[in-house]
Amino acid sequence: MAMPRHGLHPHLAWGPVHRASFGLIYGSILVLSLLMAMDEVRDGPFEAAIVLFGSVLAVTLAKIFAEVLSHSMETGERILTRKAFGAAWSHSHSTLLVANVPTAIFILAGLGVFSVETATAVAQAFCVFVLVVLGARVGWVINHSWWLPIAGALFAGSVGVGLAAMKYAIH
């Protein structure tokens, strides 16, 4: 009897993470890109939170809208159905999920828990962390060795670090 891949570590339920991985990766890169373009010090932490979450929401809704319309063109199915929107939402909600943590971080900065500069750094670190974890997971899924997860983590993390560093180079 063959043991399932996840049987080695039954306490680690990676299925939901695997299904959400596109949105988590896309959301992390989107948040890092938005942070790169924002001047949250000048505009303030609450404005940064609104712009960050609102922008990710707008992109997520645009993706849902495009997915629903293009699916209808490909299949001829009606677009204004619960099934069509449910399928599009299930593919997109994890993108929005990633934006929640950085948004909360900027709200905390607005409440005086820490500075806007610290909020930016923590939000960037969170997104880089998501990319590192998912990069490592990709390496592990491809090959259960020690080096491919490290390479995946370094590759995905370097994309995040590069985007975070660009913010400081631009500003």
Side-chain angles (χ1 to χ4, degrees):
M1 176 177 206
M3 181 173 248
R5 286 183 171 236
H6 66 279
L8 298 173
H9 301 288
H11 61 283
L12 296 176
W14 283 98
V17 176
H18 289 187
R19 287 187 296 279
S21 63
F22 174 86
L24 295 171
I25 294 164
Y26 183 71
S28 294
I29 292 172
L30 183 59
V31 168
L32 286 166
S33 299
L34 290 166
L35 288 172
M36 178 178 39
M38 289 173 34
D39 189 352
E40 62 281 356
V41 174
R42 183 195 69 212
D43 297 333
F46 289 121
E47 291 81 1
I50 291 168
V51 168
L52 185 62
F53 188 80
S55 297
V56 174
L57 177 62
V59 169
T60 302
L61 292 175
K63 182 182 178 296
I64 290 170
F65 183 67
E67 195 172 312
V68 167
L69 288 179
S70 66
H71 178 76
S72 182
M73 281 190 255
E74 291 172 11
T75 64
E77 294 177 16
R78 295 181 60 189
I79 59 172
L80 296 177
T81 66
R82 177 177 275 170
K83 179 184 172 194
F85 281 103
W89 175 251
S90 71
H91 297 143
S92 301
H93 74 279
S94 56
T95 302
L96 195 57
L97 183 66
V98 173
N100 288 337
V101 172
T103 299
I105 291 167
F106 280 105
I107 290 171
L108 290 173
L111 296 173
V113 175
F114 37 75
S115 71
V116 177
E117 293 86 358
T118 301
T120 299
V122 172
Q124 289 174 322
F126 169 75
C127 291
V128 170
F129 175 76
V130 169
L131 292 172
V132 166
V133 169
L134 292 175
R137 183 62 187 166
V138 167
W140 180 257
V141 167
I142 292 171
N143 184 357
H144 295 293
S145 67
W146 62 270
W147 69 272
L148 206 51
I150 292 172
L154 289 173
F155 175 74
S158 68
V159 170
V161 169
L163 286 170
M166 284 178 64
K167 175 176 185 57
Y168 299 104
I170 290 171
H171 296 282

